[in-house]
Amino acid sequence: VQLYFSPLACSLATRIALVEAGATAELTSVDLKAKRTADGADFLAINRMGQVPVLRTDRGDLLTENTAILQYVAEAFPDAQLAPRDAWGRAQLQQWLGFIGTELHKGIFAGLLDPRAPDAAKAHTRDKIALRFGVLEAHLTGREFLLDRFTVADAYLVTVLTWTIAVGPTLSDWPAVEAYHRRLLARPSVAAAIAIERPLYAEEQARRART
Amino acid sequence: VQLYFSPLACSLATRIALVEAGATAELTSVDLKAKRTADGADFLAINRMGQVPVLRTDRGDLLTENTAILQYVAEAFPDAQLAPRDAWGRAQLQQWLGFIGTELHKGIFAGLLDPRAPDAAKAHTRDKIALRFGVLEAHLTGREFLLDRFTVADAYLVTVLTWTIAVGPTLSDWPAVEAYHRRLLARPSVAAAIAIERPLYAEEQARRART
């Protein structure tokens, strides 16, 4: 498979899943500002939304949307056990993918990370943090992962929580979430994926500062 | 199953799916302002997020998040063929559920329908309409449904498009989307579900106006 990614964007979740699966994948970085891929292609022709991740399957088909791509990777590499096999387990996985995608990623972080969002919009977004992190705190108290074992939902959640370093909130208000984040950052697949993307992120920031 | 719903909220999508499946379900309405169910229970004890839909399975387990509930219903009633069975078809279903949930529902309509959102936030949200509806228009041109046949993704999309009556945009700018919306509204399951919920919505509005 081929994964279009941008350093430390939500495509990091798929990179973590690919590392977990031991998959050989082609990773192509995308400049989300210029909407160009590292090999010079027009990214809007690949994804009209201009968003990462985009996955190109071995058959050449394109798939967008993080929650769909993560489940595709889990299904493509079943030995890695990145998703439950039973119906109720899958429903719970989809529940958490939905919560992270809509309530955390779109509901909170997309707004806080958006450079064009007006201050009033950001303040309104911050009002939503307490309820949503309270739900996470209640669920993660006494748990190691969102489900019984590591799944693609954890790959997504640790990615989203990493953005708190840039835009808050401070996780110390939610000790179970903070401990979960620290634990997941120490997981080899997560540490390896971030170790690759952090310098790429720094390079991108430096390149943008120069232009 | 039991479905907690609020009239014309995104739980309408699950009602449509249940009608398509010919399922016998208990539908319990929720006052989302008072956070009380029609039978007087504290809804926050059922879903801490205070959101519909919530599904209670026949085993008594609770499931939240629209995209998870829709896929659960599709799986629970396989004869209705509300979701593809093959892996790539399921991936595409999940892609569209993700797009509708994050880009349309949360990215546009949650902001426009939020009575507490400041005007500057709503204006910023309106700036996102053209790209997202352009993606829909391109995909729906020449198609009857999002995938090859009616699926739960269509149940979700027709629900979301119905909110345009309240907060815009005017669909005439996207003729394929407008024709899709009109076609889906005429589908018996959709028409039946809306015929039940529209008077309930009017009653709720009238009750709120009195208090």
Side-chain angles (χ1 to χ4, degrees):
Chain A
V1 297
Q2 180 182 11
L3 178 71
Y4 293 94
F5 79 101
S6 176
L8 302 186
C10 71
S11 46
L12 174 63
T14 306
R15 184 191 289 269
I16 293 169
L18 291 168
V19 174
E20 288 277 341
T24 46
E26 185 185 342
L27 280 286
T28 305
S29 82
V30 178
D31 183 333
L32 290 178
K33 236 171 164 174
K35 304 294 180 194
R36 290 253 143 213
T37 69
D39 45 15
D42 172 13
F43 186 56
L44 293 177
I46 293 163
N47 181 10
R48 192 178 166 132
M49 283 296 296
Q51 296 169 336
V52 290
V54 176
L55 190 89
R56 193 189 298 275
T57 70
D58 292 335
R59 283 196 328 202
D61 294 318
L62 293 171
L63 188 65
T64 60
E65 294 295 326
N66 211 6
T67 52
I69 291 171
L70 288 170
Q71 292 181 86
Y72 181 88
V73 169
E75 178 135 342
F77 302 96
D79 291 349
Q81 300 185 60
L82 297 172
R85 300 281 180 90
D86 63 298
W88 182 244
R90 252 196 332 267
Q92 288 181 293
L93 177 76
Q94 288 165 353
Q95 174 184 297
W96 284 108
L97 289 173
F99 179 81
I100 300 163
T102 60
E103 298 302 335
L104 300 183
H105 182 172
K106 279 291 158 175
I108 294 177
F109 291 98
L112 297 182
L113 291 161
D114 180 353
R116 282 189 296 259
D119 287 345
K122 290 197 183 183
H124 183 62
T125 298
R126 287 200 187 275
D127 289 343
K128 298 180 183 174
I129 290 174
L131 173 61
R132 284 147 186 85
F133 274 74
V135 166
L136 264 191
E137 177 72 13
H139 183 73
L140 290 173
T141 298
R143 282 177 188 271
E144 192 175 353
F145 304 110
L146 286 167
L147 305 184
D148 292 338
R149 49 174 295 146
F150 181 89
T151 65
V152 288
D154 296 298
Y156 195 5
L157 182 54
V158 70
T159 296
V160 166
L161 290 176
T162 298
W163 301 333
T164 61
I165 297 163
V167 293
T170 311
L171 290 184
S172 53
D173 289 348
W174 299 278
V177 178
E178 187 178 40
Y180 168 91
H181 189 214
R182 207 179 309 116
R183 210 159 53 234
L184 270 282
L185 287 176
R187 190 175 173 90
S189 64
V190 177
I194 291 178
I196 292 170
E197 295 206 359
R198 191 179 282 139
L200 296 177
Y201 179 78
E203 274 172 40
E204 187 181 75
Q205 296 296 104
R207 203 166 49 240
R208 283 190 185 159
R210 281 197 304 272
T211 56
Chain B
V1 298
Q2 179 181 12
L3 178 70
Y4 292 94
F5 79 101
S6 176
L8 302 186
C10 71
S11 45
L12 174 64
T14 306
R15 184 192 288 271
I16 293 168
L18 291 169
V19 174
E20 288 278 341
T24 47
E26 186 185 341
L27 279 287
T28 305
S29 82
V30 179
D31 183 331
L32 289 179
K33 235 170 165 176
K35 304 294 180 193
R36 289 253 142 212
T37 69
D39 46 16
D42 173 13
F43 186 55
L44 293 178
I46 294 164
N47 180 10
R48 193 177 165 134
M49 284 295 298
Q51 296 169 337
V52 290
V54 177
L55 191 89
R56 192 188 298 274
T57 70
D58 292 337
R59 283 194 331 201
D61 294 318
L62 291 171
L63 189 65
T64 60
E65 293 295 326
N66 211 7
T67 52
I69 291 172
L70 288 170
Q71 290 180 88
Y72 181 89
V73 169
E75 178 135 340
F77 303 96
D79 292 349
Q81 299 184 61
L82 296 172
R85 299 280 181 88
D86 62 298
W88 183 244
R90 249 192 338 263
Q92 289 181 292
L93 178 75
Q94 288 164 353
Q95 174 185 297
W96 283 108
L97 289 172
F99 179 82
I100 301 164
T102 60
E103 298 302 335
L104 299 182
H105 183 173
K106 278 292 157 175
I108 295 176
F109 291 99
L112 297 182
L113 290 162
D114 180 352
R116 282 190 295 259
D119 287 346
K122 290 197 183 185
H124 184 61
T125 298
R126 287 197 187 278
D127 289 343
K128 299 180 181 173
I129 290 174
L131 174 61
R132 286 150 185 84
F133 274 74
V135 167
L136 264 191
E137 178 73 14
H139 183 74
L140 289 173
T141 299
R143 282 178 188 271
E144 192 175 352
F145 303 110
L146 285 167
L147 305 184
D148 291 339
R149 48 174 296 143
F150 181 89
T151 66
V152 288
D154 296 298
Y156 196 4
L157 181 54
V158 70
T159 296
V160 165
L161 290 177
T162 298
W163 301 333
T164 61
I165 297 164
V167 293
T170 310
L171 290 184
S172 53
D173 289 349
W174 300 278
V177 178
E178 186 178 39
Y180 168 91
H181 189 214
R182 206 179 310 118
R183 210 159 54 234
L184 270 281
L185 287 176
R187 189 174 172 93
S189 64
V190 178
I194 292 179
I196 292 170
E197 295 205 359
R198 191 179 283 138
L200 297 177
Y201 179 78
E203 273 172 41
E204 186 181 77
Q205 296 297 102
R207 203 167 47 240
R208 282 189 186 159
R210 280 197 304 272
T211 54

